[in-house]
Amino acid sequence: MTVFSLEGRTALVVGVANDQSIAWGCARALHAQGAKLAITYLNEKAEKHVRPLAEALGAELILPLDVARPGQLEAVFAAITAHWGRLDTLLHSIAFCPREDLHGRVVDCSAEGFGQAMDISVHSFLRMIRLAEPLMARGGTCMTVSFQGSGKVVEHYNIMGPVKAALESVVRYAAAELGPKGISVHALSPGPLRTRAASGIAEFDELLDAAAERAPTHMLATIEDVGAYAAFLASAEAANVTGGVHAIDGGYGIVG
């Protein structure tokens, strides 16, 4: 029995890099519930990895998107407007920080590195929401991906902790502003899990082992876990849920 359905709904998924990406887990789950997909890839180098995945899900739009390149984000939404004329779900799963700033102390982070991390990891979500808003005339769901380093000091997560804290604050304010229009805004917060992006964090394997040991379930979250939660939040049944940071971590975050 299907508890909820996304049949006939449309979804933009940003952040698929390979079949280990959180965004890929979300795309698969949205598709499984019946959503029509638009999937983006970062650049030509990434396209060869992303396009076959997107095609396997029958994505109706497969588009380039580097949010740091002027005009690309607007082009994506122009294509969605021309193809569907509306958008029901937005999934934002991108983050970036220059390596030297990511691996250094927070107090030593350069202004340039901090600005770039905030622009790509946080402000790009705001820009996407702003472009999605007129396409969500009948309501919709906007989601991003955070991490518990936003509220607690996680060794080696460094400047991305404050960046994710800003992202979570953006979720709350956007949810308050868009709630009257029936648009919900969420942050998905899995515990440590294996993705290509996470591999850039120093000593991440040790963090994964410690998380599995500490979590009440003794299991790490998977991209399928995150996808299942995202699909529910995109459904009509979750229309009265908004503004939250949703922990998907086997209980890791509750353990002192």
Side-chain angles (χ1 to χ4, degrees):
M1 181 181 70
T2 301
V3 178
F4 63 89
S5 173
L6 302 178
E7 199 68 40
R9 296 193 175 216
T10 60
L12 169 62
V13 178
V14 177
V16 176
N18 55 37
D19 62 2
Q20 302 299 309
S21 302
I22 291 172
W24 173 239
C26 293
R28 288 178 60 194
L30 293 167
H31 169 73
Q33 295 301 322
K36 302 174 184 177
L37 298 179
I39 293 177
T40 68
Y41 55 88
L42 179 61
N43 50 34
E44 289 184 11
K45 182 179 179 181
E47 182 179 5
K48 65 183 179 182
H49 301 290
V50 178
R51 183 171 289 279
L53 298 175
E55 290 175 345
L57 297 184
E60 297 186 13
L61 294 168
I62 306 172
L63 303 163
L65 177 58
D66 179 345
V67 296
R69 304 193 96 178
Q72 282 205 351
L73 184 56
E74 290 76 9
V76 167
F77 277 87
I80 289 171
T81 301
H83 189 70
W84 289 325
R86 62 185 177 84
L87 185 66
D88 298 297
T89 301
L90 164 66
L91 189 284
H92 167 281
S93 183
I94 57 174
F96 177 79
C97 181
R99 181 174 293 272
E100 58 272 21
D101 292 298
L102 177 61
H103 289 175
R105 300 190 308 168
V106 169
V107 296
D108 294 327
C109 184
S110 69
E112 294 78 13
F114 184 71
Q116 193 173 14
M118 287 290 289
D119 181 60
I120 293 176
S121 310
V122 183
H123 194 254
S124 66
F125 185 45
L126 285 175
R127 299 199 300 273
M128 289 182 199
I129 293 174
R130 189 162 60 245
L131 290 166
E133 183 180 1
L135 296 174
M136 294 182 170
R138 63 181 191 180
T141 306
C142 300
M143 293 176 275
T144 189
V145 178
S146 190
F147 182 66
Q148 56 220 30
S150 62
K152 300 176 183 178
V153 175
V154 174
E155 193 172 8
H156 305 298
Y157 200 58
N158 302 340
I159 195 61
M160 289 307 296
V163 170
K164 292 296 189 181
L167 182 64
E168 292 179 7
S169 186
V170 157
V171 165
R172 290 186 285 272
Y173 277 87
E177 292 171 352
L178 298 179
K181 294 187 174 184
I183 300 172
S184 62
V185 187
H186 308 273
L188 307 169
S189 184
L193 74 171
R194 295 186 189 279
T195 65
R196 190 179 75 173
S199 67
I201 299 171
E203 299 182 37
F204 198 73
D205 285 343
E206 289 83 352
L207 179 61
L208 291 172
D209 293 340
E213 176 73 21
R214 176 178 170 182
T217 64
H218 297 303
M219 293 188 296
L220 297 173
T222 66
I223 61 172
E224 289 78 19
D225 295 332
V226 183
Y229 208 118
F232 169 67
L233 291 176
S235 72
E237 285 75 6
N240 203 33
V241 180
T242 193
V245 178
H246 305 273
I248 310 161
D249 61 0
Y252 177 80
I254 69 171
V255 180

